Structure formats: C-alpha cells, structure tokens
Amino acid sequence: MLVYRDIPTLQNHLNNLKNNEKIIGFVPTMGTLHNGHLSLVNKSISQNDFTLVSIFINPTQFNNIDDLKTYPSDIDKDLELLRSISEKIIVFSPEPNELYSGDIRLDQFNFNGLDKYMEGKFRRNHFAGVATVVSKLFSLIKADYAYFGEKDFQQLRIIENLIIEKKFNVKLIRCETIRSEDGLALSSRNNKLNFSSKKIATNLFKALNFAKDKIEVLSIDEIEKIISENLSNFKEIKLEYFIIADEQNLKPIKHMQTEKYRAFIAAYVSGVRLIDNVKLY
Ligand code: AMP
C-alpha cells in the first residue's frame, strides 16, 4: 500500500492512474479508523479501481483548541488496518503545512443556510474549516466518487452543496451510519469514553428512536420536552440540541409537512461531544 505525505508525489501517482483511465474513489477521514470509516472504504473499493483514503486531522475545523489537542490519533494502527483490507488503497496523510501550503486559515463559503443550525450554530466556523480542507482535497485528488457518512449528516449536505457551488467534478456517495450492537454510532471520539460512559451514550440513539416511534402521535414540542427531561436524569449527559429538521434544507421544523425529516442530537457525555441522527421516514 502506498502512503504519501507530500502533494507532488501523490499528484504524480494520481496522474499516472488517470492517464490509464482508472476510476478513483476518495474517502476523507481524520483517522483512528473504525468500522464506520471502513464501511466507506469498502464501498469505494467495490465501486472504483483505486481508493484514496486521506488521514488528516484538520486544524481549521476545530473551534476548541483542547478538542484538537486531545483528538485521538493512531496512524500506525490505521495503516495496518488499511493494508489488511486491499492493495487498491492509497493513503494520503500530510502535515497541516503541506496541505495548507504553510498558510493555515479558513476560506469563506456560502452554504445557502445549511450551516445556520445545529453544528453550524454550536461550533463556530466548523463548516468553513471542513469546506476549506475538503475543497483542497477535491482539487488535488480529482476523484470520480467521494464517500461521506450520514453519521455527519449536516456535513454531508454541506459538501453536496459545496460540490454544486464550486462545480467540483465528483459524485458524492452517501453511506449509512454504522453502529455498535447497542446502537451507539461509531465515532473516533468514542475512544475517549470508558465502558460505563459508552453505555450511557447509547441514550442518545434511544432518544432519536423515541422520536421516530412517536412522531405520528406526539407533537414535536412534546417529543423535544420528553427527550430533554429524560436525558437530564443522567448527570453525565449535557444535551446541546435535539432538533427535527428537513432533510434537504436542514431547517428545524415544529410541524410535519413533507415526509423527509431527520432527528438530530448533540450532547456531551462525560465531557465528550457526540452527535447522531436518524431519518424519520
Ligand atoms: P471523521 O474521521 O470523523 O472525519 O469521519 C470521516 C468520514 O467517516 C465522514 O464522512 C464520516 O461521516 C464517516 N463516518 C464517521 N463515523 C461513521 C459511522 N459510524 N458510520 C458511517 N460513517 C461514519
């Protein structure tokens, strides 16, 4: 498996593949890979000649310096894992200065309102950071397909919008959320939780499922109230938001009109910020 840390040698390799009309899938990650990431990688392997996996903890998308400093990282383990999956994987794991050409800062974007609520509201500049790095990677890699997880649904919608706005010639493939047996959405941040906190964290998925079960019998206000009261019984959980929003424009709703809604949640569990969502149809 080829692992690149610098842009020119990666670009050289990609040019060779493209000259030979190879189809390339791209899976951007921040590493500490788990089965959620691997589901994206495996989907890409099954649909492309080669899969480029980027492993890069993007500094500009962290609005909290401690969160960046404590973000888990285990590149050796990640490489070993990817090596065991397929020879058709290429890894790109640059230093921040390499990817940002020594100028680590945010670009400005118009997200057409998709960043107004939820993560966009609670994590200032987070999506500008995500869009900055994804734009750099899209421009560099020029993949045919890019794989994004529904676990980060708002991010996925923002990247779909970015592809249209910036006319990137890549097709985004949505990949469903992979969970552990008890329902907890897999996340690199789960590594920061101990066994009992992980168990408590399953209440976020339970809250989303409660909304899914009751959406036709209770009002959205009632659902929100019950969920927030219920979660407040756990001293380890600090709810940041629970929102039901339109799947397309991500606007929070109070009354059901069309069918395509999702329930979204963000909460700190034992000090670790987790997000999750489910579709309600
Ligand atoms: P991250 O490393 O957290 O930036 O995630 C890289 C990609 O993997 C993003 O497209 C995520 O949405 C996706 N991803 C993360 N966790 C999961 C999961 N549990 N199921 C499916 N996709 C995931």
Side-chain angles (χ1 to χ4, degrees):
M1 187 178 72
L2 291 165
V3 181
Y4 291 98
R5 309 231 179 237
D6 70 291
I7 291 175
T9 47
L10 171 72
Q11 219 152 22
N12 197 21
H13 183 83
L14 291 173
N15 286 343
N16 280 338
L17 293 179
K18 277 174 207 144
N19 290 340
N20 287 302
E21 295 182 1
K22 301 296 183 200
I23 306 295
I24 295 168
F26 173 40
V27 182
T29 81
M30 296 208 296
T32 316
L33 303 178
H34 51 65
N35 282 338
H37 297 114
L38 297 190
S39 73
L40 276 57
V41 172
N42 284 322
K43 197 166 196 174
S44 173
I45 289 170
S46 72
Q47 297 178 341
N48 297 279
D49 295 319
F50 288 92
T51 291
L52 192 139
V53 179
S54 64
I55 299 176
F56 179 67
I57 301 177
N58 174 34
T60 62
Q61 71 188 66
F62 286 81
N63 55 328
N64 175 334
I65 189 75
D66 282 339
D67 192 22
L68 172 62
K69 278 192 192 150
T70 61
Y71 196 84
S73 154
D74 193 343
I75 185 82
D76 292 339
K77 200 164 156 211
D78 289 345
L79 295 180
E80 198 181 312
L81 200 55
L82 293 172
R83 222 171 254 128
S84 71
I85 295 178
S86 165
E87 297 206 327
K88 300 285 176 71
I89 297 175
I90 302 158
V91 174
F92 181 45
S93 180
E95 289 296 321
N97 275 331
E98 175 73 8
L99 194 55
Y100 280 83
S101 311
D103 189 12
I104 302 178
R105 65 186 159 99
L106 296 168
D107 296 331
Q108 294 304 315
F109 297 87
N110 174 10
F111 296 124
N112 292 319
L114 291 170
D115 60 333
K116 219 170 147 195
Y117 305 98
M118 303 187 287
E119 296 305 283
K121 181 169 165 195
F122 285 91
R123 298 184 70 190
R124 208 175 147 265
N125 280 334
H126 168 65
F127 287 124
V130 170
T132 300
V133 77
V134 170
S135 297
K136 285 184 192 300
L137 291 166
F138 278 173
S139 304
L140 171 66
I141 294 160
K142 297 191 173 58
D144 299 277
Y145 297 93
Y147 296 77
F148 284 83
E150 290 182 344
K151 153 82 169 44
D152 302 281
F153 194 83
Q154 189 173 18
Q155 166 176 282
L156 179 154
R157 283 289 303 117
I158 279 183
I159 302 301
E160 285 175 339
N161 177 75
L162 179 78
I163 289 172
I164 296 169
E165 288 278 321
K166 301 278 182 195
K167 300 188 171 58
F168 285 117
N169 194 11
V170 60
K171 186 170 174 356
L172 186 146
I173 308 289
R174 295 182 175 193
C175 303
E176 68 181 35
T177 302
I178 305 298
R179 302 177 179 282
S180 58
E181 264 176 30
D182 55 13
L184 178 63
L186 298 188
S187 163
S188 305
R189 289 172 196 273
N190 295 352
N191 286 324
K192 294 179 168 188
L193 298 172
N194 64 22
F195 181 76
S196 89
S197 299
K198 271 189 196 154
K199 234 174 142 184
I200 289 163
T202 60
N203 286 291
L204 307 191
F205 183 54
K206 285 185 192 144
L208 294 170
N209 276 330
F210 174 81
K212 188 169 176 152
D213 284 349
K214 300 292 180 201
I215 194 72
E216 278 171 8
V217 287
L218 296 177
S219 73
I220 290 176
D221 275 342
E222 283 166 331
I223 290 175
E224 285 173 356
K225 188 161 172 279
I226 293 169
I227 285 175
S228 117
E229 277 173 10
N230 190 349
L231 292 178
S232 70
N233 291 325
F234 297 89
K235 65 177 187 328
E236 297 85 353
I237 299 182
K238 195 172 138 274
L239 180 64
E240 203 159 64
Y241 62 76
F242 170 84
I243 280 174
I244 293 179
D246 182 289
E247 188 174 74
Q248 189 63 16
N249 61 28
L250 301 183
K251 283 196 182 128
I253 55 142
K254 286 292 177 191
H255 304 284
M256 303 290 275
Q257 278 159 0
T258 65
E259 283 174 356
K260 299 226 162 172
Y261 297 115
R262 278 182 180 256
F264 296 84
I265 196 163
Y268 285 89
V269 178
S270 305
V272 178
R273 192 172 183 282
L274 302 177
I275 59 170
D276 198 356
N277 71 89
V278 299
K279 63 179 177 187
L280 296 178
Y281 56 90

